[in-house]
Amino acid sequence: MTAEWNPALVSDELITLTRRLGDPAHDLVILAEGNTSQRLDDGRIAVKASGANMATSTRDDFVIAEVPPLAAMIASSATTQEELTSALDAGQHEGARRRGSIETLIHVAVQTIAPTAFVAHTHPTAVVSLLASVHAETAFDRPVYSDELVVTGKPLFVPYAQPGIELGQLFAHRLDAYAQSEGSLPSLVLLGNHGIVAIASSAAGAEAISLMAVKGARVRLAAYAAGGVAALSAESVAHYFEREDFHERRKNLAGTA
């Protein structure tokens, strides 16, 4: 069985993170947008169910998913969307269909490449504004202020793909290439015309990355309106990554391993 409904396995920490990211005041998601997950001790993940509202989520709104069989679906070019939908189905419980989010493969890809405690996917208006613009691929190439660099690090950009098997496979491919190149996972992934993914070893880190991505987008939008973005120099960025206190702050604020 690839997915099951077992509310007892869903932690308070995951519920709190999900509700905080779903708070309308943050403008990260509306309605049933977005999803979160937590890696369990046995390697499975608790991931938000399809159609559940993040702001009001409870333990009932999560599905427990097996990683290896879903990872195999990512690896196979023959996998269909129908097969994925079936694999995420945890059955009918208390009068409701419980099915893992259609974007569960994003969370699975992270666990396959480098097991991580928390993954949070949201659709912030300010960030999506840039990711739906002509600047999408390059807007976050260079940091525009130091705290952004500390918390979000070097983001990964993934072009638009239809949510589901198509996005899962492209995301996994780009994430693996990044990990091979950089030696670690990115803290922030930018999905073209779609949203963001925060990857962290703590719930607080996943929240910090998500919120800092929003501030970074707002700064860029204002800078573009004022005539253009003057990003930090490559020399300054390289110097930051050489500093011991930089890595300590990243660990404390962004939940990096």
Side-chain angles (χ1 to χ4, degrees):
M1 188 175 185
T2 306
E4 69 168 300
W5 187 66
N6 192 340
L9 296 179
V10 181
S11 72
D12 290 340
E13 200 173 12
L14 180 57
I15 295 298
T16 298
L17 170 64
T18 306
R19 289 180 178 177
R20 288 177 66 87
L21 294 179
D23 184 343
H26 294 320
D27 192 25
L28 295 172
V29 295
I30 63 170
L31 303 175
E33 285 185 341
N35 37 81
T36 55
S37 71
Q38 181 178 12
R39 186 176 187 271
L40 305 181
D41 290 341
D42 62 7
R44 292 183 295 172
I45 58 172
V47 62
K48 189 182 78 72
S50 179
N53 189 311
M54 289 180 68
T56 59
S57 63
T58 69
R59 285 179 173 76
D60 292 349
D61 295 318
F62 286 80
V63 165
I64 309 301
E66 299 277 355
V67 169
L70 291 171
M73 299 185 83
I74 293 176
S76 174
S77 60
T79 302
T80 67
Q81 185 57 47
E82 291 72 21
E83 289 172 335
L84 174 60
T85 300
S86 177
L88 296 175
D89 193 350
Q92 193 89 6
H93 302 277
E94 298 185 356
R97 173 64 60 182
R98 311 291 181 174
R99 179 182 291 117
S101 167
I102 197 62
E103 291 158 335
T104 295
L105 293 189
I106 286 176
H107 303 261
V108 169
V110 172
Q111 302 306 329
T112 301
I113 296 169
T116 305
F118 290 92
V119 178
H121 169 49
T122 56
H123 305 168
T125 301
V127 185
V128 175
S129 295
L130 282 171
L131 296 179
S133 76
V134 296
H135 302 291
E137 192 166 357
T138 59
F140 290 83
D141 271 357
R142 290 162 59 192
V144 294
Y145 59 99
S146 57
D147 277 357
E148 175 189 39
L149 178 61
V150 169
V151 176
T152 63
K154 180 182 177 181
L156 166 66
F157 176 78
V158 177
Y160 180 80
Q162 191 174 71
I165 188 63
E166 183 181 331
L167 174 58
Q169 291 177 335
L170 178 61
F171 181 90
H173 174 72
R174 293 297 180 101
L175 192 68
D176 184 57
Y178 181 104
Q180 294 289 337
S181 172
E182 303 295 327
S184 64
L185 293 179
S187 295
L188 175 66
V189 182
L190 306 158
L191 306 177
N193 294 86
H194 188 154
I196 64 174
V197 179
I199 303 171
S201 60
S202 69
E207 181 179 4
I209 294 162
S210 301
L211 296 179
M212 192 62 80
V214 173
K215 180 178 179 180
R218 288 173 176 164
V219 169
R220 285 168 173 79
L221 290 169
Y224 282 129
V229 173
L232 297 180
S233 69
E235 182 180 1
S236 293
V237 172
H239 179 61
Y240 269 113
F241 276 101
E242 294 170 354
R243 290 171 45 169
E244 183 179 345
D245 64 325
F246 170 85
H247 293 285
E248 183 178 346
R249 289 195 70 205
R250 265 187 57 72
K251 181 177 180 180
N252 292 337
L253 295 176
T256 57

